[in-house]
Amino acid sequence: LPGDWRHGVDADAIESKLREDPQHQIKAVGVVHNETSTGVASNVAALRKAMDRSGHPALLMVDTISSLASIDYRHDDWGVDVGIGGSQKGLMLPPGLGFNAISEKALAASKSARMPRSYWDWQAMLANNKNGLFPYTPATNLLYGLRESLAMLHEEGLDNVLRRHRRHGEATRAAVRAWRLEVLCLNPAEYSSSSTSVVLPPGQNADELRKLILEQFNMSLGNGLGRLAGKVFRIGHLGDFNDLMLAGTLSGIEMGLELAGVPHHKGGVQAALDSLAEAAKGAHADAAQVHG
Amino acid sequence: LPGDWRHGVDADAIESKLREDPQHQIKAVGVVHNETSTGVASNVAALRKAMDRSGHPALLMVDTISSLASIDYRHDDWGVDVGIGGSQKGLMLPPGLGFNAISEKALAASKSARMPRSYWDWQAMLANNKNGLFPYTPATNLLYGLRESLAMLHEEGLDNVLRRHRRHGEATRAAVRAWRLEVLCLNPAEYSSSSTSVVLPPGQNADELRKLILEQFNMSLGNGLGRLAGKVFRIGHLGDFNDLMLAGTLSGIEMGLELAGVPHHKGGVQAALDSLAEAAKGAHADAAQVHG
Amino acid sequence: LPGDWRHGVDADAIESKLREDPQHQIKAVGVVHNETSTGVASNVAALRKAMDRSGHPALLMVDTISSLASIDYRHDDWGVDVGIGGSQKGLMLPPGLGFNAISEKALAASKSARMPRSYWDWQAMLANNKNGLFPYTPATNLLYGLRESLAMLHEEGLDNVLRRHRRHGEATRAAVRAWRLEVLCLNPAEYSSSSTSVVLPPGQNADELRKLILEQFNMSLGNGLGRLAGKVFRIGHLGDFNDLMLAGTLSGIEMGLELAGVPHHKGGVQAALDSLAEAAKGAHADAAQVHG
Amino acid sequence: LPGDWRHGVDADAIESKLREDPQHQIKAVGVVHNETSTGVASNVAALRKAMDRSGHPALLMVDTISSLASIDYRHDDWGVDVGIGGSQKGLMLPPGLGFNAISEKALAASKSARMPRSYWDWQAMLANNKNGLFPYTPATNLLYGLRESLAMLHEEGLDNVLRRHRRHGEATRAAVRAWRLEVLCLNPAEYSSSSTSVVLPPGQNADELRKLILEQFNMSLGNGLGRLAGKVFRIGHLGDFNDLMLAGTLSGIEMGLELAGVPHHKGGVQAALDSLAEAAKGAHADAAQVHG
């Protein structure tokens, strides 16, 4: 189902599509929870409800790679059948580990399916994991890293981790607005807390801006993909990241816009600082109320 | 010779003092090149000239700990007899290595001196170093680190390193001025390129501000020492440090001032970004001229 | 083509099999260069010749995972179509990188093939690699590691690396013989230089021996796989490994045999030391002759 | 008090010396607990008793650098006044931390003493440590390392750590005896558990042997110091060290003796393995008795 790249998954459209499939030819609905390239986070819970309404038995498969441990994701509550995660984003590790969370329904489907598969061939993994082993040589170093990153997430508290990512998304968008640039995502309910895609004014080359910022400030921003190539740059704000790293990031962009001659207003960093300071005050007020 | 903690070494006063010592009771003049606690960098070359004018044979001993590899220091050109450096500042290493650069005159004085000494007992070190050895167990790990940090300094180019530190000092002072706070150092010719001490308005507690910033933003600022305790905080901007790290640092301070209720004006970070962007433009213009 | 697990690939048998396939139903001959589980290294060059004699166009696919950079392997000289390597053995890195070396013939076959594939879908990788990119998130950290491990291999010299592995294989087998235990591999021409599988006397449990050695000496030996389970243990001697590490390894085994009550003769470590010292003398004599 | 370099401290001689000093000109008795260069461990408890018998108030100062956390040392029980340790031996860290354990008596003496001092000027350290601070820039990285190395020592259990060092000392001497070489230390009650100095036959050059072993096996042995230069080499067996590392170490020496043409008997490694295996059996028997 093609979208416009500026909105999340259309649950109603999927419901309709499923209703048009009484023979259940459709085996699965696959969605990306947080679409890194556009900075749009889809409402998976709403999609689940739409699928339930349709009465269609298709599996729900969700890519959580850039949302896991940074945007709220609830595998069981939302009735996801296959959740796919990776080590290199919210889990703060190098790339190299992939995770599959599987429902009983997905497991049963996997047993009766006849298509060849490779990454999603779970039987050997399940059989070996029972004894603490792997069917293939595992990336042992990353498993040690995972133990530590999970400890770090628990130490901060997952709620605080998610709140921090929301705070950084808001401050980033405050900066973009102050620059009078456009956030690619058009639906505020679908703003991503882990990355923000920014649209440059027509005629401006986002890749030249990115190149200048990389050379001048040693900071690598994400590029626009596919039809967005050259028109968009992406700001990642997830994982092992804090308020001052965000301020440094946005500072590099604001100076880059200036040096590249991209039409914009100053004050983006200031707006982000105001947003962050406001959030800090709110958190203090909350804490005071709890203790008061 | 007591100073006012807001100016560098007074070369004329030292010259006078030396002239008042015809018996040469004074054995050495010891100065700190860059005084970390105040953010004042003394003019060592001028001091050397004043000492020469006095005709007094005292040794010139210079502490370069927070200036080495961040503020221009010229051991031979300036006729320094003993230069003292450490690994943990501009050399970007953990603490653990100390360096002594010694003139022939200092070495001769050391041989005839009769006071007990420990760190400054150079004979065993010189004898062993001839064969590539140390008289005591050396901090081998740090020596490997030193090899790498020297390679990094050469890769960037020492001139660029010094220029980068000057740029960061200027941007930091631009922020302080925009906040309408006071730079402790009163003489612009003696501004430090590696650290800036900032005076809070009367009645404000710098240590409470530092505590709030540490807790809220995980950033540790230097405290005021001695008579400056509680009145001053210090911003370090040296070593493995770049424009965006400085922007993040100043952002943490600006938000901290806001959250701590310290009277100030906004716009410090903005002023620093303007200063840094201006410097970047200048560098580009210079490069264009070279290539033009 | 089933084997007896104690010999390498039978080139004549493969030639016969290919001759029995005039319709070219067989698309590829797949062999493991060094079979880790048995410690048998097959003669790939001989296999290539046998395939050529048969006139059959099947591809030759070789798993070099435990031979690359430890046993001589010549992709082009031997006319291999697909060579498969990994980061975690002779390249001395953590697991996480896989390599495919592909002939033009394999590439052409890949384009016309219609079976689904995943790891062996080379088009996206080739297209991206042209610009120095990857189609997916690469394991960047391991690529840095690879740069260093290749530098280490070149520094030692690949010929010396291979010679070192041969020396360690010989010394290991000298120990096994002195213990009066049996090397699993029956054909001396196929002895592995990177790992040795050792057969315990009937009635002895290799896994109990391995467990004792792990607990007592903190050394983990490889287990027998499949039909060899419990009957065999495996000694790895490849990668970042030297004479004294081998001596320590064999010492742990000799003490483990004693503590586990496995019938054996002492003197295995002594035999290995004699073998290693003899090799060192030979190398010195060679060097002397070169310089003489 | 000069010794013969092959025995520990002579408690009776020190007692006599102290009795000959009724004016208490002697301020302190300084001993090295484990003399690294000779592999002799002195009996500090006996020395304490001898000092007590003399009635002399001299301080007892003990260098524990190569014994701390590898040979039993009891600061309080033995009435030591100043104990000196370092990070780089039994504590398994890089060099860079020094420790002083001080008795009340030493502290009082320090306050009334008038000699200049530097490392042993404890007042500033004590004053700052009360608040968790240091008077000078501390080697922070090593303090983190110390936290981990202490955790490792507790995890193994200090008794087990000391027992392991004794076991390695015994196995090393078993090897030396089998080689028919001489242990420098002549008194079995004073054998060091952390290092062993080995005397070569007359006419043999220990430094050439050491050089050959370094080049051939990448293993660096300690050299003879002072009057022992060229006659002795030293085997360290302390810190993060286990049975197989010792076996590898002794293997390198046995092969080195062979390659260097030093007259010796083979079988040193075998003797060490027998000693280690015997110790392992004993430990198992003990454990069985405890559980039986």
Side-chain angles (χ1 to χ4, degrees), chain C residues 4-260:
Chain C
D4 70 349
W5 293 47
R6 304 191 70 168
H7 290 84
V9 165
D10 183 340
D12 293 340
I14 287 177
E15 184 181 347
S16 304
K17 195 82 180 178
L18 292 176
R19 286 188 191 277
E20 292 162 17
D21 176 41
Q23 306 300 327
H24 300 166
Q25 302 272 13
I26 295 172
K27 297 302 176 199
V29 173
V31 300
V32 176
H33 184 202
N34 180 70
E35 174 53 57
T36 322
S37 52
T38 58
V40 177
S42 288
N43 187 335
V44 175
L47 171 59
R48 172 78 271 173
K49 281 178 192 149
M51 289 175 67
D52 289 347
R53 281 194 304 269
S54 76
H56 192 289
L59 297 171
L60 173 55
M61 306 173 75
V62 182
D63 170 337
T64 74
I65 288 173
S66 61
S67 64
L68 193 67
S70 50
I71 301 177
D72 200 13
Y73 169 76
R74 298 173 178 270
H75 188 77
D76 290 329
D77 295 357
W78 296 349
V80 178
D81 293 301
V82 182
I84 300 143
S87 55
Q88 77 273 23
K89 300 276 184 184
L91 293 176
M92 307 174 284
L93 293 170
L97 290 179
F99 306 93
N100 279 188
I102 318 166
S103 70
E104 290 297 330
K105 187 174 161 191
L107 199 53
S110 151
K111 281 174 184 162
S112 64
R114 288 184 315 270
M115 278 183 66
R117 68 207 77 171
S118 129
Y119 288 107
W120 291 1
D121 188 2
W122 302 312
Q123 297 307 325
M125 188 63 83
L126 287 168
N128 277 269
N129 279 187
K130 270 182 195 153
N131 307 314
L133 300 175
F134 286 81
Y136 320 111
T137 306
T140 318
N141 305 47
L142 291 177
L143 293 173
Y144 284 111
L146 181 62
R147 188 163 66 184
E148 182 62 23
S149 69
L150 292 177
M152 289 166 68
L153 289 169
H154 282 299
E155 195 179 5
E156 183 173 355
L158 193 53
D159 280 351
N160 294 326
V161 170
L162 301 179
R163 195 174 296 124
R164 168 166 58 82
H165 281 85
R166 282 197 297 272
R167 183 171 80 234
H168 290 166
E170 281 166 23
T172 301
R173 293 187 298 272
V176 175
R177 277 182 221 112
W179 292 326
R180 311 282 164 89
L181 298 179
E182 207 180 333
V183 173
L184 181 66
C185 178
L186 290 175
N187 179 2
E190 296 173 329
Y191 283 148
S192 166
S193 291
S194 63
S195 73
T196 300
S197 291
V198 181
V199 187
L200 283 200
Q204 298 295 325
N205 187 323
D207 290 339
E208 283 177 14
L209 172 67
R210 292 174 50 247
K211 183 163 176 283
L212 181 149
I213 291 173
L214 177 58
E215 288 173 359
Q216 186 72 40
F217 300 114
N218 195 23
M219 177 169 71
S220 175
L221 294 166
N223 59 331
L225 298 171
R227 69 161 81 155
L228 300 172
K231 296 175 181 164
V232 153
F233 68 88
R234 294 180 288 137
I235 308 169
H237 33 78
L238 87 166
D240 182 16
F241 203 72
N242 66 25
D243 288 11
L244 304 194
M245 292 159 88
L246 179 63
T249 301
L250 298 174
S251 294
I253 295 169
E254 182 156 336
M255 289 191 284
L257 291 167
E258 169 79 13
L259 293 170

Side-chain angles (χ1 to χ4, degrees), chain A residues 216 258 266 274 281 284, chain B residues 216 258 266 274 281 284:
Chain A
Q216 186 71 40
E258 170 79 13
K266 285 192 181 183
D274 290 347
K281 281 181 197 170
H284 285 194
Chain B
Q216 186 71 41
E258 169 79 12
K266 286 191 181 184
D274 291 347
K281 281 181 199 170
H284 286 193

